[in-house]
Amino acid sequence: MTEHEPTRRAEVLRRVVELLRVRLPPEWSTRLRDDAVLEVAAPGGATGYLAIEAKRTPTTRDLASVPMKSETGDPTIQILVAARYLAPSTRAWLDGQGLSYVDATGNLRVRMNAPALYISDRGADRDPWRGPGRPRGSLQGPPAARIVRSLVDLVPPLTVPELARRSGTSLGTVYRVVEFLEQEVLIERTPRGPIADVAWRPLLERWSFDYGFQHSNTIGRFLEPRGLEALTERLAAVEGLRYAVTGTLAAHRFAPYAPARLGMVYVDDLERAAELLNLRPVDTGANVLLATGEYGMVFERCDNVDGVTYAAPSQTAVDLLTGPGRSPAEARELLDWMEANESSWRR
Amino acid sequence: MRVRGDADLLIAARRALIDALGALADHAEAVVVIGAQAIYLHTGKAPIALAEATKDCDLALDTRRLGPAPLIEEAMRTAGFHLNVEGRQPGSWLNADGIPVDLMVPESLAGAAGRRAARIPPHERNAARRAVGLEAAVVDHAPMAVPALDPEDRRCPVANVAGPAALLVAKLHKVGERQATPTRLIDKDAHDIYRLLVAVSTGRLAADLRHLRASELAGDASEQAIRFLDALFASGPDALGSTMAGRAEEGVGEPATVSASVAVLAKDLLIAVD
């Protein structure tokens, strides 16, 4: 959808009210009372109000000041964040806060208790009206990956130079990433001081938009005909091979949630690893995925259990978040475990 | 103790399910197996390297058939279950091995408005939680044998298992209500829809959906689910739901084939329903 860009606040409001109106059941009606309150009436006469917080293209930090509830405490008044465009990470944050939202491209999720209403729809995943200039930040690439892994794995406080040193990344890159993470309310920094707090779970979830086991690496699909137990036995016995087991097999040590059907292993060289592990390359029916690429941090802070090297919990979590099938649900279970046992893996 | 290792996980989950069915045997008429275990019972093992279920067990309670005795919380505790206090969710029970069994009541049967807990006196407030989209499961279900998966365990109780159409309705709601933020967490639900459409004949699904659509309790939810099926799957392999179903097989299966198949089967089902 690339209609002309709604630049003024009034245009954004008009567009989002129209988007809501056409999605309501036919018997419902809406009326914009002044320029900040939308009246929503159900067929039986029950009426609720959406207090609109209009923004242009807000970052998560811009939204942190939005009140969660109407100041009057009236349960028939709910907050609705309206914007020209809301990025996927911003929508995810709003979801997490339980706030209703709508943007001018058609992304919307509105929940009212009285009268009961729930509507949800999807618009653009990229800002169709973003002008030229410096792109919005992201966590793409190996340097950002090293910084994220360090922020998650190390206990704060951490100064920026310390973070640069421990993650092996240039100071300039660290400043850029830290600025972006502050905007996204994923870290807290004392003014001109160290990083005091890291929202490590949302940070890993946000990183998974930019990093994925399959998307960010070169993948080889293989079959271990005797199954995953045979794979782990071979991994425990193999010599002269750097690797890190991730995915379900790595999560099972902490939070077994779904049976392991797929082995996911980081290696340096696909062919050599496949040969040493006696894996057969296949086009379909793979039960082992080997990954290799430029992301050296996957081998950092691994554990060795019964002779098998496993990726760190933070790495395992992001790999499951972007994995196939039920992997993302396994990630949620692992992240729950990590929250409950922070001192056992965060150093 | 926590169950470790892999082969045991589905075995342990099935054992917990059978234990819970035993605990609630006096309420057997009111208990319906739903969720991934029910889908597994209808569709069988996945032919590719994807887990077909997790350790979660979900049971729906039909309060219209639920008697006052025994009290649910007492029956569950006697059978060795305890409420999961960490999860802060009502109805979230764990057995001694840490396997979760969730007891849920469809929103429209869950009593006076509340946030999470189902109000089903005389049963305790924390015994079960309210959940949207389960109305179809208490309308469309049939007795099925639920065999233990452990060769040493000979138990094979008969329990009400939600029908494939009811499971389809529940999954369509899950995908439909999340379409504004289609995270990968929901891909598996889109893939479950694909598995159901493949495993169950279009004729049977259509007949059951018509029945659901006509029911007072589940009519609205089913009508909405059919609209989701149309918009998210039947409109083509590039539709959001079809794409998500395919993406669930990324790296291990045939994403393009899955997306195309689910779109075609959804379209067939829509035609057969009308």
Side-chain angles (χ1 to χ4, degrees):
Chain A
M1 172 167 156
T2 43
E3 289 178 38
H4 91 278
E5 175 181 0
T7 45
R8 288 178 305 119
R9 185 174 183 278
E11 279 182 288
V12 172
L13 272 181
R14 208 176 317 130
R15 176 87 56 96
V16 301
V17 168
E18 180 61 15
L19 282 167
L20 283 178
R21 198 186 58 75
V22 299
R23 280 163 183 79
L24 285 172
E27 314 80 43
W28 290 57
S29 64
T30 58
R31 193 159 65 95
L32 197 57
R33 294 201 348 148
D34 43 56
D35 79 342
V37 177
L38 183 69
E39 184 182 294
V40 181
T47 304
Y49 302 92
L50 292 165
I52 301 177
E53 290 276 335
K55 308 271 175 188
R56 252 174 77 89
T57 306
T59 63
T60 308
R61 182 163 56 182
D62 301 331
L63 293 174
S65 59
V66 168
M68 291 292 135
K69 277 191 204 136
S70 142
E71 280 162 16
T72 61
D74 182 338
T76 62
I77 305 177
Q78 315 247 334
I79 304 295
L80 172 71
V81 172
R84 196 194 64 158
Y85 174 70
L86 294 164
S89 63
T90 314
R91 277 177 266 145
W93 183 85
L94 286 163
D95 264 345
Q97 303 293 315
L99 281 168
S100 294
Y101 58 81
V102 52
D103 78 19
T105 77
N107 289 303
L108 65 98
R109 184 158 171 165
V110 177
R111 199 193 291 266
M112 288 178 77
N113 292 331
L117 172 69
Y118 179 87
I119 45 177
S120 165
D121 206 347
R122 191 170 185 229
D125 273 343
R126 272 167 216 274
D127 185 349
W129 303 298
R130 193 175 68 76
R134 204 170 136 196
R136 234 177 101 86
S138 86
L139 296 172
Q140 278 167 13
R146 286 198 295 273
I147 295 166
V148 170
R149 276 287 314 276
S150 299
L151 281 169
V152 175
D153 291 352
L154 305 174
V155 180
L158 271 177
T159 64
V160 169
E162 203 178 343
L163 179 58
R165 186 178 56 76
R166 304 220 27 197
S167 62
T169 316
S170 76
L171 208 51
T173 308
V174 175
Y175 272 115
R176 212 161 40 240
V177 171
V178 161
E179 189 195 350
F180 171 67
L181 294 178
E182 277 188 277
Q183 250 176 40
E184 298 276 304
V185 201
L186 293 168
I187 59 172
E188 238 174 70
R189 231 182 121 192
T190 45
R192 273 184 282 278
I195 295 155
D197 197 17
V198 177
W200 60 261
R201 183 171 184 158
L203 173 56
L204 282 173
E205 286 163 349
R206 174 63 187 78
W207 183 35
S208 75
F209 293 6
D210 289 318
Y211 176 86
F213 178 84
Q214 294 197 60
H215 292 156
S216 309
N217 297 283
T218 306
I219 297 294
R221 302 181 201 333
F222 298 92
L223 180 68
E224 164 49 83
R226 296 204 167 80
L228 297 184
E229 265 181 46
L231 172 72
T232 0
E233 278 167 25
R234 280 196 183 270
L235 286 166
V238 73
E239 278 178 20
L241 177 72
R242 182 166 82 143
Y243 70 86
V245 176
T246 184
T248 309
L249 288 173
H252 268 197
R253 290 173 294 144
F254 311 113
Y257 182 62
R261 297 281 184 260
L262 177 70
M264 292 161 65
V265 186
Y266 285 107
V267 296
D268 288 307
D269 181 328
L270 297 181
E271 276 179 38
R272 184 161 173 275
E275 198 182 307
L276 285 169
L277 297 169
N278 198 22
L279 296 170
R280 330 292 162 89
V282 287
D283 288 330
T284 55
N287 64 356
V288 178
L289 300 183
L290 298 183
T292 186
E294 292 164 13
Y295 289 85
M297 85 294 164
V298 300
F299 299 111
E300 301 260 326
R301 296 179 284 278
C302 285
D303 299 330
N304 193 294
V305 182
D306 300 331
V308 179
T309 307
Y310 293 99
S314 55
Q315 186 64 46
T316 305
V318 77
D319 292 337
L320 284 170
L321 278 169
T322 55
R326 298 191 137 70
S327 308
E330 294 173 65
R332 193 177 48 185
E333 188 84 359
L334 175 61
L335 290 165
D336 286 348
W337 179 91
M338 288 166 71
E339 274 185 343
N341 299 277
E342 197 174 312
S343 60
S344 70
W345 61 270
R346 216 170 176 213
R347 287 149 208 163
Chain B
M1 181 194 113
R2 293 195 70 140
V3 174
R4 290 199 180 260
D6 150 50
D8 297 338
L9 207 54
L10 289 185
I11 292 175
R14 182 61 61 83
R15 189 185 308 128
L17 174 65
I18 294 174
D19 289 347
L21 291 172
L24 301 174
D26 289 334
H27 297 299
E29 283 226 336
V31 174
V32 183
V33 181
I34 56 172
Q37 298 253 3
I39 292 179
Y40 186 20
L41 284 164
H42 287 295
T43 62
K45 200 168 181 298
I48 51 167
L50 286 181
E52 50 281 86
T54 64
K55 66 179 181 179
D56 287 344
C57 308
D58 299 327
L59 295 175
L61 299 177
D62 183 349
T63 53
R64 299 168 306 174
R65 299 197 171 97
L66 187 69
L71 291 171
I72 289 170
E73 56 276 16
E74 276 180 25
M76 291 296 281
R77 288 202 178 94
T78 310
F81 289 90
H82 59 275
L83 274 170
N84 180 3
V85 285
E86 270 172 41
R88 303 174 293 271
Q89 289 251 55
S92 178
W93 295 87
L94 293 173
N95 76 359
D97 291 338
I99 301 287
V101 174
D102 284 3
L103 300 184
M104 292 184 274
V105 176
E107 178 67 36
S108 51
L109 295 177
R115 265 172 62 83
R116 290 199 186 129
R119 308 273 169 84
I120 45 169
H123 307 284
E124 200 176 278
R125 267 183 60 172
N126 274 335
R129 75 167 162 277
R130 48 208 311 136
V132 283
L134 299 185
E135 284 76 11
V138 300
V139 174
D140 169 30
H141 54 73
M144 269 178 96
V146 183
L149 299 176
D150 179 353
E152 309 265 292
D153 188 345
R154 298 276 174 85
R155 294 178 299 169
C156 184
V158 171
N160 290 324
V161 176
L167 294 164
L168 196 61
V169 167
K171 289 286 175 186
L172 282 166
H173 273 270
K174 205 159 170 190
V175 176
E177 278 154 21
R178 281 284 176 170
Q179 58 181 303
T181 45
T183 62
R184 282 174 169 264
L185 198 55
I186 310 300
D187 287 2
K188 67 169 193 317
D189 298 297
H191 194 261
D192 284 342
I193 287 169
Y194 159 73
R195 286 169 62 205
L196 283 164
L197 290 174
V198 169
V200 184
S201 78
T202 301
R204 175 172 175 201
L205 284 172
D208 292 353
L209 272 180
R210 275 196 295 268
H211 171 66
L212 278 171
R213 196 156 62 166
S215 88
E216 196 180 325
L217 186 60
D220 287 350
S222 307
E223 196 62 57
Q224 176 62 51
I226 291 169
R227 283 198 292 271
F228 284 142
L229 184 71
D230 190 2
L232 300 173
F233 292 90
S235 57
D238 297 330
L240 181 65
S242 309
T243 309
M244 291 166 89
R247 195 166 62 182
E249 289 204 1
E250 213 167 60
V252 294
E254 304 287 341
T257 312
V258 170
S259 298
S261 309
V262 74
V264 166
L265 292 169
K267 185 91 191 167
D268 288 353
L269 179 56
L270 279 181
I271 293 168
V273 166
D274 281 327

